[in-house]
Every structure is written in C-alpha cells, then in structure tokens.
Amino acid sequence: MGMTRRAALRLFGAAPWLGIDSIRAAAARTLDLESLKSSSWRVIPAGDGLGVESVRLTRSWDGPLCRSRLVNTGREPVRIKEVVLVELDPSLPAETGLYGEGFQMLSQTGGSLARPADVGDYTDERHYKIPQPDGTRAVHGLLVLSAPGDDHRLLAFTSCRRFDGRFYLRPGSLQVVIDAEGLAIGPGQGWDLEEITFRSGPDRDALLGTLARRLEQNHPPLKTPAPPSGWCSWYCFGPRVTAEQVLANLDVIARSIPGLRYIQIDDGYQTAMGDWLDTGDAFGGGVAAVLRQILERGFEPAIWVAPFIAEKGSRVFREHPEWFVADASGAPLAADKVTFGGWRHGPWFALDGTHPEARRHLERVFRTMREQWGCTYFKLDANFWGAMHGGRFHDPRATRIEAYRRGMEAVRRGAGDAFLLGCNHPIWASLGLIHGSRSSNDIKRAWARVAGTARQNLLRNWQSGRLWWNDPDAVVLMGDLSEDEFLFHATAIYATGGMLLSGDDLTAISPARLARLRKLYPPTGVPARFTDDTFRVGVTDLPGRRVFCLLNWSDAPETVSFRLPGPHRIRDVWRDVDLGIHPAGVVSQTLPARCGRLLAGTPAP
C-alpha cells in the first residue's frame, strides 16, 4: 500500500522540499564541516503534527559557526517538541573516544561510541529523569569525538539563551537537537535558535580554547581577578553547624592561615528550605550577627543559599504557592513527580523564574543578605530546580532555560557585587550568570569519591579562568584516607587551578596538614594542561617556574614520566625535598599506589 507524501513527511519529519531519498543520502556522510552543511534536518511536532509541514528551518553557516531560524509560514500555531538541526551518520570507528557535557552539572559522559560511560554518579537520565528517546545516549552543550589516530572533532552549542541544545547518539546516527519543550510557534512567527559550531584538529585543548572564546562572546562572563579561597562548614559539620563552630574556625584561620578570606556558612542555618532570612535554632540564633563578626575581623562573609527551592512546610511556600512551578492542574508541582525530589526535607517545590513576584522575592532575599548581612559570596545550590522540566510556568511562552535565566538575573540584581558560585546547576544555561562553577560531585573522605571528583574536575579544566572559575569542591586533608590518597587529592586540587576552600575543622588539624594547606594557597588561577585523558601528567606554567602534577590512579605503584624542555632544578613540593638539577629530557618518578606528587621546576643555567 502506497504512502502519501504528507504521511511520509510526518513520518520522517522532513521539510517539504527534501525527499526521503535525499535524507538518506545526506545521512550517509562522515563527520566534517561539509557533511554538516549538507545534512538533513527535521522538525518533530508535539501532538498530532498537523501543520508541521508549514514550519521551515533556515541554517546560515559562517565558517565553522551556524545560526538557525525556525519560521511558521502557515496560518495556524504549531507545537514543536524538538528541532533536529543536523542528522547524519558520523561514520567513525566504534572505539572513537567520547566526551559530552550534561544538562546538570553532575552529569558527564565518557567512554567510546560503542560503550558510552557515565563519568559521574548522578546522571541526567536516571537521577534527574530528564526525558530522552529510548536507545539514545544524550549529551548537552558539548560533544567531542576522538577517533584513534585521527583529529578530534568538536560539536558544541555556543549559546544557551532560550533552548537546551542536545546531541543524540545512536548506532550509526548523530543528531544535533534543540529542545522546544512543546511550545507553540504562531503563524508568521520566527524563532532564533541556539548557535552551533564544528571544529576539528589534532590539539583538543586548542579546540576547547576556541570554543571558550566563542562562548565568552555570546555570554560575557562575570569576571573577578583571581579565584576565591576560604573555608566551608559543610564537610566538617554538615547541616548541624553552629555559630560557635564557625567562630572557632575563624579564630584559627585569622591566626594561622589568613589567606582563606571567605568564611562560608553552609546549609543548616535556616529554619526551612526556602526561608533563607530565618535562622534555625540549631545554629544558635543570629546568623546575621555571626556574618557581621566575620566582617569585623577583616574577612569576607559567605553563605549557602538554594534560591529556587522550598520545602512544603516553609513559610514562603505556605504564603505564596502561586510563585511556584505548577502541574497540569495549576497546583504547585512537587519535584519528585518529574525529577529527583531533593536531598533534605523533600519533595521540594521550584520557584518560577517567570513569575514577577517570585523574581522580586529573590531580589529582596539577596539584597538583604548583601546589604544588611554583609555577604560578599553566595554558594547557590540546587540551581537545577530553577530549570526543572515537566511543569508549567506563569509565562506560558517561556522555556525552562528562560525561567532559570530570569530568576538568576533577579539573584544577580539583589547580590550586587558579591561573588556567585553555581552548584548543582544547569551548566550551559548558567553561562554569563555566575563567577564560579562547581565542576564535580561533593567530595567525601573515601578513595572512590576522591578519584571520581578528580576526573570530573580535570575534564573541565578548559572552562576555568575563561567561562568562570572552576570550583573543584573543598580540599579535605583530615579523615579516613591514607597519606598517599591525601597527596593524590591535594595534587588534583592544585591541578585544577581553581577555587580553594578548606573543608576541615581547622581547630583539630595537625601542624603538618596545616602546612600542606598553606602550600595550596593562593590558588594559581592556571589550570594544568594534561598530555591525555589518563590525567597522569599535568603541567602548570607559572611566572618563573613550571609545576608538574603527577597522579597515580592505580592500586599499584607506577612510574610516571614527564619531559623537561631544558635544565631545571626540581623540588618536591609536598615533601620539601630538593631533587637537584635535571637536564633537558625525560624525568621519571615512581609513585606509590593512589598517590600524587607535585614537582616545581625552575630553569637552571
């Protein structure tokens, strides 16, 4: 039985002027710039698809950059689920290496085309329940493909103003996709979609550097001259932190390591999730008074806030349920209906960044903390829920990216000149909105977590100092790790070149561990360059010296080698040992299992 032309168009989602044969021909190409320019595209409707043939896409290539616009030429609105900007067969070997970013900061993809692997423990698909097609590996924002013996190929979205940009990988298929969230494009209406880029070459760091420059142009970053350093209460006291504990650590810092300028009170000071201006009884009362004491001692008051979430019993939720993202019935949407419900006092509800009163509330909270409490640093946690999927917004034309970005602009207005750290955030959607970006899962004093967070952080070294300062999470030098594992952790933190926050109770730290913490200060602001994705040898080039970051990830001793461009005097930073002058050439060091070594080299005559 024959298929009508209209039915074929609905099935394959093609534009009216692209026949099925041309789609198949365009799909069977390798992954290069010409194949991308000639590839097929399609519009995937939400619902029955009536009228989708009137929706047309124009792609405008300017060298490696492509801007796209979607236009409805018909007389009726059409709801759009997704726009496939590019669809082709990349024709790459199954063993091609893969790296992809996630929508949520905690999600990254590694492995190969044949065997994609989760880099972190909390994935977009399983943990955050972000829908994706069956049998598909979805990555967001950035995709790097590295075929053995061939150039690296980088595909990326270089903007994230309104839509989430995705890459769908299936056997023999690559799609570059815009998530339109089922929004309606009206008759005669046009949408500017997110910009994409493609580049290839032998130097992966150079490709990522070029991408960073374009992202900077589209989303000018918030700049500070150096990454912050300080102390965080969470990893020693958790949600039961008290005023007394914070002030006792401030005494030690003022006396022994005053370079830790930001004293951050983490989760636990508030009466309820969402009521950030109220102080919990467990904290001892008067968080504002403690922050003022920090300021009076000459340090920077810092505080943890989860701006977009509230628990059911919070005052803000009880008094203003209309400020929250709604379900189909118009009632506030509990997060656990569509995603992870929250790690304490869930299920959470998400403030709607498109609601003008919710934005005024956010601005008021942060202005109070900045101007009255003196906070100059905000750790913004649970930001993902500001871009939560599956709900309805006060502005029915807004995407969840727009909802999040509008909410964050309100936070910025209230926070003024304070430093904003994004944590548990939608990473691409946060471009241009934060000074710092958490680049890994929470640290724990366990080898598996130390190794896991190190890899997550180092994969994002290219972002730090360009898009924002990376936050590798707190450095912990006390607890149930071996001495070698602590050395690995400290070396990996140094190699990020990013922010430095101590996570230990410094009232109980030993002189030796305190001395090691001092060696990490100040943070260099220069991420190490690694020779490959094994992350065994990294190099940090600083004025007058070159620092080699050596990491043994294995459970057995290993010899790690690096090359000197000329004669250098080498010093083992952690052990304070002068290793003498080494000539140009290869230098080898044998490292114990699960160990790191930091070697500083200065040019020698």
Side-chain angles (χ1 to χ4, degrees), residues 275-308:
D275 294 339
W276 310 115
L277 299 182
D278 299 335
T279 297
D281 293 337
F283 187 71
V287 66
V290 176
L291 292 165
R292 281 194 294 272
Q293 290 184 63
I294 293 169
L295 185 62
E296 289 166 1
R297 297 281 296 272
F299 289 83
E300 303 287 345
I303 200 163
W304 177 94
V305 187
F308 292 100

Short mmCIF file of all heavy atoms in Angstrom, two decimals, residues 275-308:
data_model
loop_
_atom_site.label_atom_id
_atom_site.label_comp_id
_atom_site.label_asym_id
_atom_site.label_seq_id
_atom_site.Cartn_x
_atom_site.Cartn_y
_atom_site.Cartn_z
N ASP A 275 13.26 29.42 53.38
CA ASP A 275 13.16 30.57 54.29
C ASP A 275 14.56 31.02 54.68
O ASP A 275 15.02 30.84 55.82
CB ASP A 275 12.33 30.20 55.53
CG ASP A 275 10.88 29.90 55.18
OD1 ASP A 275 10.41 30.35 54.12
OD2 ASP A 275 10.23 29.21 55.98
N TRP A 276 15.25 31.64 53.74
CA TRP A 276 16.67 31.92 53.90
C TRP A 276 16.97 33.07 54.85
O TRP A 276 18.10 33.20 55.32
CB TRP A 276 17.30 32.18 52.52
CG TRP A 276 16.93 31.12 51.55
CD1 TRP A 276 16.18 31.25 50.42
CD2 TRP A 276 17.25 29.73 51.64
NE1 TRP A 276 16.02 30.04 49.79
CE2 TRP A 276 16.67 29.09 50.52
CE3 TRP A 276 17.97 28.95 52.55
CZ2 TRP A 276 16.78 27.71 50.29
CZ3 TRP A 276 18.09 27.59 52.33
CH2 TRP A 276 17.50 26.99 51.21
N LEU A 277 16.01 33.88 55.12
CA LEU A 277 16.24 35.00 56.03
C LEU A 277 15.90 34.67 57.47
O LEU A 277 16.03 35.52 58.35
CB LEU A 277 15.44 36.23 55.57
CG LEU A 277 15.79 36.76 54.17
CD1 LEU A 277 14.97 38.00 53.84
CD2 LEU A 277 17.29 37.05 54.04
N ASP A 278 15.48 33.42 57.73
CA ASP A 278 15.21 32.97 59.09
C ASP A 278 16.34 32.06 59.56
O ASP A 278 16.89 31.29 58.77
CB ASP A 278 13.89 32.19 59.14
CG ASP A 278 12.70 33.06 58.72
OD1 ASP A 278 12.80 34.29 58.85
OD2 ASP A 278 11.69 32.49 58.26
N THR A 279 16.66 32.12 60.84
CA THR A 279 17.77 31.35 61.39
C THR A 279 17.24 30.18 62.21
O THR A 279 16.36 30.36 63.05
CB THR A 279 18.66 32.22 62.28
OG1 THR A 279 19.22 33.26 61.47
CG2 THR A 279 19.79 31.42 62.88
N GLY A 280 17.80 29.00 61.98
CA GLY A 280 17.39 27.82 62.74
C GLY A 280 17.92 27.84 64.16
O GLY A 280 18.98 28.39 64.45
N ASP A 281 17.18 27.20 65.07
CA ASP A 281 17.58 27.15 66.47
C ASP A 281 18.91 26.42 66.63
O ASP A 281 19.72 26.78 67.49
CB ASP A 281 16.50 26.44 67.29
CG ASP A 281 15.22 27.25 67.36
OD1 ASP A 281 15.29 28.49 67.18
OD2 ASP A 281 14.16 26.65 67.60
N ALA A 282 19.15 25.39 65.80
CA ALA A 282 20.37 24.59 65.95
C ALA A 282 21.62 25.42 65.71
O ALA A 282 22.67 25.17 66.28
CB ALA A 282 20.33 23.40 65.00
N PHE A 283 21.50 26.44 64.89
CA PHE A 283 22.67 27.27 64.58
C PHE A 283 23.07 28.12 65.78
O PHE A 283 24.20 28.59 65.86
CB PHE A 283 22.38 28.15 63.37
CG PHE A 283 23.57 28.92 62.88
CD1 PHE A 283 24.61 28.27 62.25
CD2 PHE A 283 23.67 30.28 63.08
CE1 PHE A 283 25.73 28.97 61.82
CE2 PHE A 283 24.78 30.99 62.65
CZ PHE A 283 25.81 30.33 62.01
N GLY A 284 22.17 28.30 66.68
CA GLY A 284 22.49 29.12 67.85
C GLY A 284 21.89 30.50 67.77
O GLY A 284 22.11 31.33 68.66
N GLY A 285 21.15 30.73 66.68
CA GLY A 285 20.48 32.02 66.54
C GLY A 285 21.39 33.09 65.98
O GLY A 285 22.59 33.12 66.23
N GLY A 286 20.81 33.98 65.17
CA GLY A 286 21.53 35.16 64.73
C GLY A 286 22.61 34.92 63.72
O GLY A 286 23.75 35.33 63.95
N VAL A 287 22.29 34.28 62.61
CA VAL A 287 23.31 34.07 61.57
C VAL A 287 23.85 35.42 61.08
O VAL A 287 25.04 35.55 60.79
CB VAL A 287 22.75 33.23 60.40
CG1 VAL A 287 21.66 33.96 59.64
CG2 VAL A 287 23.87 32.80 59.46
N ALA A 288 22.98 36.43 61.02
CA ALA A 288 23.44 37.74 60.58
C ALA A 288 24.50 38.30 61.52
O ALA A 288 25.46 38.95 61.10
CB ALA A 288 22.26 38.70 60.47
N ALA A 289 24.34 38.04 62.82
CA ALA A 289 25.33 38.52 63.79
C ALA A 289 26.67 37.84 63.59
O ALA A 289 27.74 38.47 63.72
CB ALA A 289 24.81 38.28 65.20
N VAL A 290 26.66 36.55 63.28
CA VAL A 290 27.92 35.83 63.03
C VAL A 290 28.58 36.37 61.77
O VAL A 290 29.81 36.57 61.72
CB VAL A 290 27.66 34.32 62.92
CG1 VAL A 290 28.94 33.58 62.55
CG2 VAL A 290 27.09 33.79 64.22
N LEU A 291 27.81 36.62 60.73
CA LEU A 291 28.36 37.17 59.49
C LEU A 291 28.99 38.54 59.75
O LEU A 291 30.05 38.86 59.20
CB LEU A 291 27.27 37.26 58.44
CG LEU A 291 26.74 35.92 57.92
CD1 LEU A 291 25.43 36.10 57.16
CD2 LEU A 291 27.77 35.22 57.04
N ARG A 292 28.36 39.33 60.60
CA ARG A 292 28.94 40.64 60.93
C ARG A 292 30.26 40.48 61.68
O ARG A 292 31.21 41.26 61.46
CB ARG A 292 27.94 41.46 61.75
CG ARG A 292 26.84 42.11 60.92
CD ARG A 292 26.08 43.17 61.71
NE ARG A 292 25.33 42.59 62.81
CZ ARG A 292 24.08 42.13 62.71
NH1 ARG A 292 23.46 42.18 61.55
NH2 ARG A 292 23.45 41.63 63.76
N GLN A 293 30.35 39.49 62.55
CA GLN A 293 31.62 39.26 63.25
C GLN A 293 32.72 38.86 62.28
O GLN A 293 33.87 39.26 62.43
CB GLN A 293 31.44 38.17 64.31
CG GLN A 293 30.60 38.59 65.50
CD GLN A 293 30.55 37.51 66.55
OE1 GLN A 293 31.57 37.14 67.13
NE2 GLN A 293 29.34 36.98 66.80
N ILE A 294 32.36 38.05 61.27
CA ILE A 294 33.34 37.69 60.23
C ILE A 294 33.84 38.95 59.54
O ILE A 294 35.06 39.13 59.34
CB ILE A 294 32.70 36.72 59.22
CG1 ILE A 294 32.38 35.37 59.89
CG2 ILE A 294 33.60 36.52 58.00
CD1 ILE A 294 31.52 34.46 59.05
N LEU A 295 32.93 39.85 59.19
CA LEU A 295 33.30 41.08 58.51
C LEU A 295 34.15 41.97 59.41
O LEU A 295 35.15 42.55 58.97
CB LEU A 295 32.03 41.82 58.08
CG LEU A 295 32.19 43.08 57.24
CD1 LEU A 295 32.88 42.76 55.92
CD2 LEU A 295 30.83 43.73 57.00
N GLU A 296 33.79 42.06 60.67
CA GLU A 296 34.54 42.90 61.61
C GLU A 296 35.96 42.39 61.83
O GLU A 296 36.86 43.18 62.15
CB GLU A 296 33.78 42.98 62.94
CG GLU A 296 32.49 43.80 62.87
CD GLU A 296 31.59 43.58 64.07
OE1 GLU A 296 31.98 42.79 64.98
OE2 GLU A 296 30.50 44.19 64.11
N ARG A 297 36.16 41.09 61.66
CA ARG A 297 37.51 40.53 61.80
C ARG A 297 38.35 40.71 60.55
O ARG A 297 39.50 40.27 60.48
CB ARG A 297 37.42 39.03 62.14
CG ARG A 297 36.73 38.72 63.47
CD ARG A 297 37.66 38.92 64.65
NE ARG A 297 38.79 38.02 64.63
CZ ARG A 297 38.80 36.80 65.16
NH1 ARG A 297 37.70 36.32 65.72
NH2 ARG A 297 39.89 36.06 65.13
N GLY A 298 37.78 41.33 59.52
CA GLY A 298 38.52 41.59 58.29
C GLY A 298 38.40 40.50 57.25
O GLY A 298 39.17 40.50 56.27
N PHE A 299 37.44 39.58 57.42
CA PHE A 299 37.23 38.50 56.46
C PHE A 299 35.94 38.73 55.68
O PHE A 299 35.19 39.67 55.96
CB PHE A 299 37.22 37.15 57.19
CG PHE A 299 38.56 36.75 57.70
CD1 PHE A 299 39.04 37.24 58.91
CD2 PHE A 299 39.39 35.91 56.96
CE1 PHE A 299 40.30 36.89 59.38
CE2 PHE A 299 40.64 35.55 57.42
CZ PHE A 299 41.10 36.04 58.64
N GLU A 300 35.69 37.88 54.70
CA GLU A 300 34.55 38.04 53.81
C GLU A 300 33.43 37.07 54.23
O GLU A 300 33.62 35.85 54.19
CB GLU A 300 34.95 37.76 52.36
CG GLU A 300 36.09 38.62 51.83
CD GLU A 300 35.64 40.06 51.59
OE1 GLU A 300 34.43 40.32 51.55
OE2 GLU A 300 36.53 40.93 51.44
N PRO A 301 32.26 37.58 54.62
CA PRO A 301 31.15 36.70 54.98
C PRO A 301 30.58 36.01 53.74
O PRO A 301 30.27 36.66 52.74
CB PRO A 301 30.13 37.66 55.60
CG PRO A 301 30.86 38.95 55.83
CD PRO A 301 31.94 39.00 54.82
N ALA A 302 30.42 34.71 53.82
CA ALA A 302 29.92 33.91 52.71
C ALA A 302 28.82 32.99 53.23
O ALA A 302 28.86 32.53 54.37
CB ALA A 302 31.04 33.10 52.07
N ILE A 303 27.85 32.69 52.37
CA ILE A 303 26.70 31.90 52.83
C ILE A 303 26.17 31.03 51.70
O ILE A 303 26.27 31.36 50.53
CB ILE A 303 25.60 32.82 53.39
CG1 ILE A 303 24.65 32.04 54.30
CG2 ILE A 303 24.86 33.54 52.27
CD1 ILE A 303 23.80 32.92 55.19
N TRP A 304 25.62 29.89 52.11
CA TRP A 304 24.97 28.93 51.21
C TRP A 304 23.49 29.28 51.09
O TRP A 304 22.81 29.54 52.08
CB TRP A 304 25.12 27.54 51.80
CG TRP A 304 24.46 26.40 51.07
CD1 TRP A 304 25.03 25.59 50.14
CD2 TRP A 304 23.12 25.91 51.26
NE1 TRP A 304 24.14 24.62 49.72
CE2 TRP A 304 22.95 24.81 50.39
CE3 TRP A 304 22.05 26.30 52.05
CZ2 TRP A 304 21.76 24.09 50.31
CZ3 TRP A 304 20.86 25.60 51.96
CH2 TRP A 304 20.72 24.50 51.11
N VAL A 305 22.98 29.29 49.86
CA VAL A 305 21.55 29.54 49.61
C VAL A 305 21.14 28.65 48.43
O VAL A 305 21.88 28.52 47.46
CB VAL A 305 21.26 31.01 49.23
CG1 VAL A 305 19.76 31.26 49.15
CG2 VAL A 305 21.90 31.98 50.21
N ALA A 306 19.95 28.06 48.51
CA ALA A 306 19.37 27.31 47.38
C ALA A 306 18.19 28.13 46.88
O ALA A 306 17.05 27.91 47.30
CB ALA A 306 18.95 25.92 47.81
N PRO A 307 18.41 29.08 45.99
CA PRO A 307 17.41 30.12 45.73
C PRO A 307 16.11 29.63 45.13
O PRO A 307 15.06 30.26 45.34
CB PRO A 307 18.12 31.08 44.77
CG PRO A 307 19.22 30.28 44.16
CD PRO A 307 19.64 29.30 45.21
N PHE A 308 16.14 28.53 44.38
CA PHE A 308 14.97 28.15 43.60
C PHE A 308 14.08 27.10 44.28
O PHE A 308 13.04 26.74 43.73
CB PHE A 308 15.39 27.63 42.23
CG PHE A 308 15.97 28.69 41.35
CD1 PHE A 308 17.34 28.82 41.19
CD2 PHE A 308 15.14 29.58 40.68
CE1 PHE A 308 17.88 29.81 40.39
CE2 PHE A 308 15.67 30.57 39.87
CZ PHE A 308 17.05 30.69 39.72
#
